[in-house]
């Protein structure tokens, strides 16, 4: 019996949600599912996946938010009508990644296909769009996958089956040869990977670099070379900081790091998981994360890192100085990071996804 999976994801880029979807798709292909993917034509983690038939979804982003907003809705409605009459085997399941591609959910209901929605976020903006998207997800999804227990506690579900499947590092990341350092660098290096959105803590990271001039700081942005150049031209970059645009291979940055931080502003953005933190843990690196959200499920305060509010600059400086000056404490946290990373393996993630999808074809 042919088993078809029709997959929807809005924007293909080098951020967390397409990385996780790549994991999903590779596992479905391995299990001999026929997979079709609808996503943007941009480059990202969803590019070049073997045995996945990829289609464009007509979506593009603009620096003008209003244009991006209209592009989103036009792409969704156009995609819905393009696929509505496309011939698909009745034995098909729709898989929607993030709450944004609502056309996939509507299509599934019209075509009477079961639909799984993989929810990575607890809110989007503006508020009206957030209400609309979560209404569609909660009312129409057959099964909702959440990435953390934080989301489960805060998700206002209206009847769909729900499960928590923790993210994992990608198959490629897990298989990449890496060496866990036995000690930190002679010049302590602090790494952050983030976007340029104001709530991601880039300004706070700059402040830390200026306050800790005897350490080095590395900022990897999920932005184009042009966008990074524009940003650099508008701010004062301290001499002890290096800034990079989107990196296809982040391993070199983890290899040179001694500490990885996430400085998201909890009042504007709640991290529902934290992929860069999990990647850091796989390298045996201590981490610093916000005090709320799903990201706290990866970190035991004082064991493999610290939970600190990004607005607490004094507290952040104190903990970074502690790790940089006390190799024994750094080493203890490094060992604990590796142990905690073992709770979020690629094998656990893939088996959870496979078991879920298989059930829809058993029924």
């Amino acid at each position: 019996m042919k088993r078809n999976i029709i997959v929807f994801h809005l924007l293909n880029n080098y951020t967390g949600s397409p990385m996780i979807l790549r994991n999903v798709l590779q596992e479905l292909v391995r299990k001999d599912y026929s997979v079709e993917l609808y996503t943007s034509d941009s480059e990202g983690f969803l590019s070049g996946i073997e045995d996945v038939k990829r289609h464009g979804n007509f979506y593009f982003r603009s620096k003008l938010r209003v244009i991006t907003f209209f592009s989103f809705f036009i792409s969704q409605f156009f995609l819905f009508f393009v696929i509505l009459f496309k011939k698909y085997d009745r034995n098909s399941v729709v898989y929607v990644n993030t709450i944004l591609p609502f056309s996939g959910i509507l299509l599934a209901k019209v075509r009477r296909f079961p639909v799984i929605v993989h929810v990575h976020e607890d809110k989007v903006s503006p508020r009206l769009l957030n209400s609309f998207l979560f209404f569609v997800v909660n009312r129409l999804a057959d099964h909702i996958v959440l990435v953390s227990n934080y989301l489960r506690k805060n998700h206002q579900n209206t009847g769909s089956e729900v499960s928590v499947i923790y993210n994992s590092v990608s198959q490629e990341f897990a298989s990449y040869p890496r060496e866990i350092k036995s000690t930190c660098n002679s010049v302590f290096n602090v790494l952050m990977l983030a976007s340029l959105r104001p709530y991601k803590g880039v300004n706070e990271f700059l402040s830390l670099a200026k306050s800790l001039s005897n350490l080095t700081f590395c900022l990897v942005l999920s932005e184009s070379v042009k966008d990074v150049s524009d940003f650099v031209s508008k701010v004062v970059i301290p001499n002890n900081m290096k800034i990079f645009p989107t990196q296809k291979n982040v391993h070199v940055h983890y290899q040179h790091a001694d500490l990885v931080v996430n400085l998201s502003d909890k009042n504007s953005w709640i991290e529902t998981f934290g992929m860069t933190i999990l990647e850091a843990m796989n390298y045996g690196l201590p981490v610093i994360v916000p005090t709320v959200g799903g990201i706290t499920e990866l970190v035991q305060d004082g064991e493999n890192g610290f939970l600190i509010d990004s607005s607490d600059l004094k507290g952040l400086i104190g903990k970074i100085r502690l790790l940089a000056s006390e190799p024994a404490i750094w080493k203890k946290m490094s060992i604990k990071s590796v142990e905690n990373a073992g709770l979020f393996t690629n094998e656990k993630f893939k088996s959870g996804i496979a078991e879920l999808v298989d059930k829809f074809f058993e029924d």
Side-chain angles (χ1 to χ4, degrees), residues 87-150:
K87 189 174 181 180
Y88 280 110
D89 192 281
R90 292 179 61 186
N91 192 41
S92 298
V93 168
V94 171
Y95 197 102
V96 176
N97 193 49
T98 81
I99 66 172
L100 292 169
F102 67 89
S103 63
I105 303 173
L106 298 179
L107 174 72
K109 293 295 103 178
V110 172
R111 297 291 295 269
R112 297 184 178 180
F113 296 151
V115 56
I116 301 168
V117 182
H118 201 144
V119 177
H120 300 255
E121 58 275 87
D122 68 339
K123 67 178 179 179
V124 296
S125 61
R127 184 177 299 178
L128 185 61
L129 177 62
N130 182 79
S131 298
F132 167 72
L133 292 175
F134 271 110
F135 175 83
V136 171
V137 170
N138 291 331
R139 291 283 181 178
L140 301 180
D142 293 287
H143 196 104
I144 297 173
V145 176
L146 303 174
V147 300
S148 63
N149 279 308
Y150 166 81

Side-chain angles (χ1 to χ4, degrees), residues 35 90 172:
V35 181
R90 292 179 61 186
E172 290 86 354

